[in-house]
Amino acid sequence: MEIFIYTALFSPLAAAIFAAIFAMREKKIITGIVNSIFIALSTAASIVLLCIMDENSFRLNLIDWISVGNLSIPFGFVVDRVSVIMMVTVGVVSTAVHIYSIGYMAHDKSFNRFFSYLSAFVFSMLVLVMSDNFAGLFIGWEGVGLCSWMLIGFWYERDSASWAANEAFIMNRIADLGMLLGIFMIYWQFGTLQYEDVFNTAADIDTAVLQIIGILLFIGAMGKSAQFPLHTWLADAMEGPTPVSALIHAATMVTAGVYLVIRANPIYANIPDIGFFIASLGAFVAVFAALMALVNNDLKRIIAYSTLSQLGYMFVAAGLGAYWIALFHLVTHAYFKSLLFLGAGNVMHAMNEDLNIKNMGGLFGALKITAVLMIIASVALAGIYPFAGFFSKDKILEVALNENTYILFSTLWVGAGLTAFYSFRLIFIVFFGEASWKKRHIHPHEAAKSSLLAMLPLGILAVIAGHFEEVFEEFATQILPEYTFGITHETVILMITSTLGIAIFGILFAFYMYIVRNGFSKKIEKSAMYKFLFNQYYIPQLYQSQIVRRFEAIAKFSWKKLDEKLIDASVDMIANMLYRSGDKARRMQSGNLSAMLRWMVFGLGILLLFAVFYQA
């Protein structure tokens, strides 16, 4: 059993080290192939663990990691029904992304370095989901943050990429401070950081204290999962290579916040008020992000806003106590969203890296396979039966209705219509609209066969993953709380019909607007509301003017007034005093015997005076 755990966990680390050895050398396709094999091996081991999983969990303690006083934290891992689901999801998407990247990054001079970073990220993510304690989770949490910074800023020679990487890193550090304080409070109250010990005694802790812990942990989740107001970094992170977006910002790292809430469900089950706040924020973000996707023209940013919106759906389910449903949508979303990002990468290559969808159009003929796969992913994202998104997303709306949270349900219902509209807005403009690229003498072509082959399993899973709902529920609820529905079958049918109806309406409206009418009128695009959404509600500008510039002003004041005129001046003054005293003292070393004897007599006199005063 241990061999499978070791293989699943450490194969990505071996891949990262292997690629790092050749990081500064000439790119070699063999590096990508070897790394892909290592990641596939890890995925295979995870699938084996999934298949042989019984009612018990597999535990593995490698070493005694931290032992100080009463604090004892082993470097240990647990493979249970929650972690193994995450392991398989991360593994499947990671394998597809690694294989896809062989063709996508083939002409990049830093090919080897890219694969080292990518595999290191997978290892960090597995540490995060497999750890059996909050300290180990935090190590993986920071590991994926570091790898995310390296991958977003992979093309560091671009100022925009470096800026986006720093933004993501700094914003996540702000959130991680909250999470770290939450972990400190857990140890203070429970005397341990082991999941099993904490969760078994969570009900015995004062509710007010649990609420503080729940809030602090969720602050960390808000950063990783880009929830308002810590959301701005996600869209800017599209500066990284597209495979990075598919792996990190669609299927793995951004779902870490949702995973944290699901994993800590015994804590959140005892603080339903905090759970309702999480659900409310998630519903708000679901529509908040969808509205930005309606008007944006950047291919990858539209998909990024979609990710932000779907994360909101997951938090609604988790906040309302339907943890297995949140995990189910996390899994299905990982497949069709990573497929969308990889398809976007194909379109980018075909358009000479142009991301403006208004410069595309009519690409279906040149990119038939990519178009079909992206349409499959978009149908799944829109929640159309029988694709994967229908089963998981509609289940979340069913939960909102079951809890009598009609405002949340209405918000998510509207979000479903918006999702269908912006998803097919992208499809219609890119693949079926007017071919604007012909004016620029571009010759679009399909992606490499290896890249298309890597996308195929994701396309299949985007279709069939939802049909495993009953099996998934039975498997996951062996460790996660069961969720009981109290609404009638007729109500469920009515809800599903209405949700399908608004999704289909969104698709048809997108068809009318972008195929029949060729987009919104110039008058609408110049309206205040359109500009408000296009500029992301002016939140980035607000952060820039009220936080970044003020912090920059404080930093400059500290530099010019405090550092240079106070600290540096003090150090320079001491140095000058020592220099001048040394300069004067060196005159004693003249080499003249008479002068040396006079100094000796003078020194002897000083010593005698000291002796007299001391005796007195």
Side-chain angles (χ1 to χ4, degrees):
M1 193 63 60
E2 290 185 0
I3 188 63
F4 294 114
I5 300 176
Y6 283 126
T7 302
L9 178 60
F10 291 111
S11 290
L13 178 60
I17 294 172
F18 174 81
I21 293 173
F22 305 102
M24 302 307 294
R25 298 183 184 180
E26 183 181 355
K27 64 178 186 291
K28 292 184 181 296
I29 298 300
I30 190 65
T31 304
I33 295 173
V34 171
N35 275 45
S36 299
I37 291 172
F38 272 118
I39 300 300
L41 189 61
S42 172
T43 305
S46 299
I47 293 173
V48 170
L49 290 169
L50 175 71
C51 294
I52 64 176
M53 179 68 65
D54 54 22
E55 295 181 359
N56 300 316
S57 302
F58 305 135
R59 298 187 179 276
L60 180 66
N61 286 336
L62 295 182
I63 56 172
D64 292 331
W65 179 27
I66 299 175
S67 185
V68 181
N70 295 326
L71 175 63
S72 179
I73 303 175
F75 194 62
F77 301 93
V78 59
V79 179
D80 58 18
R81 290 171 184 260
V82 173
S83 59
V84 78
I85 288 171
M86 290 295 295
M87 289 165 62
V88 171
T89 303
V90 171
V92 169
V93 175
S94 300
T95 303
V97 169
H98 272 73
I99 296 172
Y100 176 91
S101 299
I102 295 173
Y104 189 89
M105 301 295 291
H107 302 293
D108 196 285
K109 63 180 181 180
S110 298
F111 181 88
N112 300 340
R113 178 168 61 90
F114 176 82
F115 274 92
S116 180
Y117 291 171
L118 204 64
S119 300
F121 170 82
V122 178
F123 171 69
S124 298
M125 190 67 195
L126 289 174
V127 170
L128 189 158
V129 301
M130 294 175 67
S131 291
D132 66 354
N133 61 80
F134 283 98
L137 178 142
F138 190 73
I139 294 299
W141 194 274
E142 294 303 298
V144 295
L146 172 63
C147 294
S148 173
W149 175 76
M150 293 189 296
L151 287 165
I152 295 170
F154 180 75
W155 290 312
Y156 55 85
E157 62 275 7
R158 302 178 185 174
D159 291 340
S160 57
S162 294
W163 189 91
N166 290 337
E167 181 193 19
F169 193 80
I170 293 169
M171 194 163 286
N172 274 275
R173 297 294 71 69
I174 295 169
D176 291 352
L177 175 60
M179 181 180 175
L180 195 58
L181 292 174
I183 293 174
F184 287 155
M185 281 204 69
I186 289 173
Y187 178 69
W188 176 42
Q189 289 296 316
F190 293 89
T192 180
L193 295 178
Q194 296 297 120
Y195 290 153
E196 188 175 11
D197 298 332
V198 171
F199 298 154
N200 287 340
T201 57
D204 301 329
I205 302 299
D206 183 71
T207 302
V209 175
L210 276 184
Q211 287 178 332
I212 295 173
I213 292 173
I215 291 170
L216 290 172
L217 291 179
F218 182 63
I219 289 173
M222 288 170 63
K224 275 289 182 287
S225 295
Q227 295 296 284
F228 177 86
L230 303 175
H231 65 282
T232 55
W233 69 267
L234 183 63
D236 293 333
M238 296 303 107
E239 287 290 339
T242 302
V244 172
S245 304
L247 180 62
I248 296 180
H249 308 118
T252 52
M253 190 187 86
V254 291
T255 62
V258 181
Y259 170 77
L260 174 60
V261 176
I262 294 171
R263 173 59 77 184
N265 72 85
I267 293 176
Y268 287 100
N270 289 284
I271 46 174
D273 291 343
I274 303 301
F276 184 74
F277 168 77
I278 293 172
S280 300
L281 181 63
F284 167 75
V285 171
V287 172
F288 171 83
L291 289 172
M292 289 190 286
L294 292 180
V295 300
N296 202 280
N297 297 319
D298 186 294
L299 178 64
K300 288 174 65 177
R301 281 178 178 265
I302 294 170
I303 305 174
Y305 290 135
S306 171
T307 299
L308 185 56
S309 179
Q310 296 306 306
L311 288 168
Y313 278 86
M314 297 175 207
F315 276 117
V316 170
L320 295 178
Y323 300 104
W324 78 264
I325 295 174
L327 185 60
F328 185 44
H329 191 51
L330 185 158
V331 172
T332 60
H333 171 265
Y335 300 137
F336 57 72
K337 187 52 64 64
S338 55
L339 179 60
L340 267 177
F341 268 116
L342 295 182
N346 293 351
V347 174
M348 284 176 59
H349 264 341
M351 297 301 297
N352 293 342
E353 306 305 314
D354 188 356
L355 285 167
N356 191 336
I357 58 175
K358 288 191 172 183
N359 295 334
M360 301 176 189
L363 289 174
F364 185 84
L367 304 173
K368 286 187 176 67
I369 299 176
T370 296
V372 170
L373 290 172
M374 288 188 72
I375 290 170
I376 289 172
S378 297
V379 172
L381 175 60
I384 304 298
Y385 181 86
F387 292 79
F390 166 81
F391 297 91
S392 56
K393 189 160 68 174
D394 276 32
K395 210 72 178 176
I396 296 174
L397 273 80
E398 191 177 338
V399 169
L401 194 62
N402 186 66
E403 294 293 327
N404 298 319
T405 52
Y406 299 115
I407 295 177
L408 297 187
F409 171 80
S410 301
T411 304
L412 296 179
W413 185 80
V414 171
L418 296 174
T419 301
F421 178 81
Y422 69 66
S423 299
F424 278 86
R425 170 181 177 261
L426 184 152
I427 294 296
F428 291 141
I429 292 176
V430 171
F431 295 110
F432 302 101
E434 182 183 351
S436 303
W437 51 269
K438 289 184 178 179
K439 302 173 185 177
R440 294 178 293 138
H441 306 291
I442 293 176
H443 304 286
H445 56 83
E446 191 59 272
K449 291 182 179 179
S450 61
S451 297
L452 295 174
L453 183 64
M455 295 168 66
L456 185 60
L458 297 176
I460 295 171
L461 288 168
V463 176
I464 69 171
H467 294 275
F468 295 97
E469 177 187 334
E470 293 184 4
V471 176
F472 188 95
E473 179 183 4
E474 182 181 353
F475 184 85
T477 51
Q478 294 293 322
I479 185 171
L480 294 175
E482 294 185 8
Y483 185 82
T484 304
F485 289 96
I487 53 179
T488 64
H489 180 70
E490 290 76 13
T491 304
V492 173
I493 295 298
L494 182 61
M495 185 274 298
I496 291 174
T497 303
S498 67
T499 306
L500 271 175
I502 194 172
I504 292 171
F505 173 78
I507 295 172
L508 293 176
F509 187 56
F511 177 83
Y512 172 74
M513 289 301 303
Y514 293 99
I515 298 298
V516 178
R517 288 195 54 185
N518 199 27
F520 287 108
S521 65
K522 296 294 183 182
K523 183 179 180 180
I524 293 177
E525 290 185 356
K526 291 180 180 179
S527 66
M529 179 56 70
Y530 192 97
K531 290 179 179 179
F532 184 63
L533 296 176
F534 187 82
N535 288 286
Q536 306 174 58
Y537 307 93
Y538 294 101
I539 292 174
Q541 293 89 333
L542 179 67
Y543 287 173
Q544 186 70 21
S545 62
Q546 299 301 315
I547 298 176
V548 176
R549 288 180 182 172
R550 293 188 179 188
F551 184 82
E552 185 179 11
I554 293 171
K556 285 184 176 179
F557 173 82
S558 300
W559 170 33
K560 292 292 185 181
K561 304 297 182 183
L562 298 180
D563 193 34
E564 288 189 349
K565 293 189 176 181
L566 184 61
I567 298 174
D568 283 359
S570 300
V571 173
D572 291 343
M573 181 182 69
I574 294 171
N576 287 331
M577 288 175 59
L578 291 173
Y579 177 81
R580 288 171 183 170
S581 62
D583 185 57
K584 293 185 180 299
R586 70 184 177 86
R587 298 175 184 176
M588 297 166 53
Q589 305 295 329
S590 63
N592 186 289
L593 183 59
S594 299
M596 299 296 288
L597 288 172
R598 285 195 294 271
W599 280 113
M600 289 175 61
V601 171
F602 177 76
L604 181 61
I606 296 295
L607 290 175
L608 289 173
L609 284 174
F610 272 116
V612 169
F613 282 113
Y614 178 75
Q615 292 295 328

